[in-house]
Amino acid sequence: MTGVGEAIVRAHREEWARLVATLARRIGDLDIAEEMAAEAFATAVERWPVDGVPPNPGAWLTTTAQRKAVDRLRREARREEKHQEALMLYDAPEPLGAIDDDRLRLVFTCCHPALAMEARVALTLRMVGGLTVPEIARAFLVQEPAMGRRITRAKAKIKAARIPYGVPFREDLPARVAGVLTVLYLIFNEGYLTSDPEGEAVRADLTAEAIRLTRLVRDLLPGDGEVAGLLALMLLTEARRAARVSASGELVALDEQDRGAWDRGLIAEGHALVRARIATGEAPGRYQILAAINAVHTDAPDARDTDWSQVLALYDQLARLDPSPIVRLNRAIAVAELDGPQVALAEVDGLPLEEYHAFHATRAHLLRRLGRGEEARAAYDRAIALAGNTAERAYLTRRRDQLPGA
């Protein structure tokens, strides 16, 4: 596609995602849907500079793509059967199911339970979330080619198994909600501290949209503890956004943030959600525990007042549910506050996170506290090389340059 075409796609990213998902659902073939969407945008590149951008670009693109799909289907084998399917593009009503919001409906539609969890999440982030393959790869801590192959295989499975892109109804939601929550969490994280080295440090549009959609999911599933937990986690994290990046564009660590700049309204709402879930007496899930950890941090008026014993107990609880290396890495930060950096370093060393910048940043911090300057410098160098965010790189660079002998 030409540079002009790419600019149009970027300007109408939401229309692109909606168009591809709508066509895929109606035609039953994701590859053809993407081809038709691309042809519609190519037509827009030819006509819009001459005719002007239409009042409703999304409707124009949808109509154009549908007409191209009709032509495509008419030309294929089994002419009569395909012709009837094509005609239905114009006549079939759009089922709303249980979800009124267009984007949330697309997320639930793409998170089909017939796909493996990682595949459905990656595909949804690509088609609906608007994230690039490199951004998705960084979110999953895998190489970009591997993520590209994963998305391609997911598309191939949809085509081979003829998985229908039907709008889910209320009874379908529980089977899809885990994938939906993962998608929304990753979109939020990408907005809160972007991984694009060329982009801005924080994308408030992504965090706001993730919170909005999570509120809608909670309206649909008010009794789901993990939905409430994810909303609380987002609110308590978003509350700190104004203090997270300095005026010079450098990341500000949690213990150095101006807590007076935190959004107390979001904190109060997040704390209320956490307390409500605790009051149920139900065993908490991953998002509920992460929200509780953030509640402990945001409850402390000063970093020195943080209840690290409670933080560690919550991480122990989380590790029983999710004994992943990243959980163990984050747990080590609490261990360092209670048992010292030497004990924490022993738990961190050996974790299979060599390609994760936060692993090296944590090691650098612990080595710094132990007075092992040269090793800390090497760890900072590795963290800086792997970090994608400009604000994070600036922070790590400053910390490295403040080491004795720098």
Side-chain angles (χ1 to χ4, degrees), residues 133-148:
V133 173
E135 289 170 340
I136 299 169
R138 285 189 288 266
F140 280 89
L141 301 182
V142 301
Q143 296 298 314
E144 181 180 340
M147 180 52 65

Side-chain angles (χ1 to χ4, degrees), residues 326-361:
I326 291 181
V327 170
R328 292 162 60 191
L329 177 67
N330 291 331
R331 179 185 178 278
I333 296 172
V335 170
E337 296 297 327
L338 294 171
D339 301 324
Q342 187 67 53
V343 177
L345 185 63
E347 296 195 6
V348 167
D349 281 341
L351 291 177
L353 295 170
E354 281 295 323
E355 299 303 315
Y356 185 38
H357 75 279
F359 167 72
H360 298 283

Side-chain angles (χ1 to χ4, degrees), residues 8-30:
I8 290 177
V9 170
R10 286 195 299 271
H12 300 282
R13 175 181 287 177
E14 184 170 348
E15 284 86 352
W16 170 271
R18 183 181 297 117
L19 178 57
V20 171
T22 299
L23 289 172
R25 181 169 62 251
R26 294 179 176 181
I27 298 172
D29 190 312
L30 182 59

Side-chain angles (χ1 to χ4, degrees), residues 243-244 250-259 395 398:
R244 186 82 186 278
E250 181 181 314
L251 182 73
V252 181
L254 179 61
D255 60 345
E256 298 176 342
Q257 289 177 16
D258 175 11
R259 300 191 175 212
Y395 165 74
R398 177 177 63 83

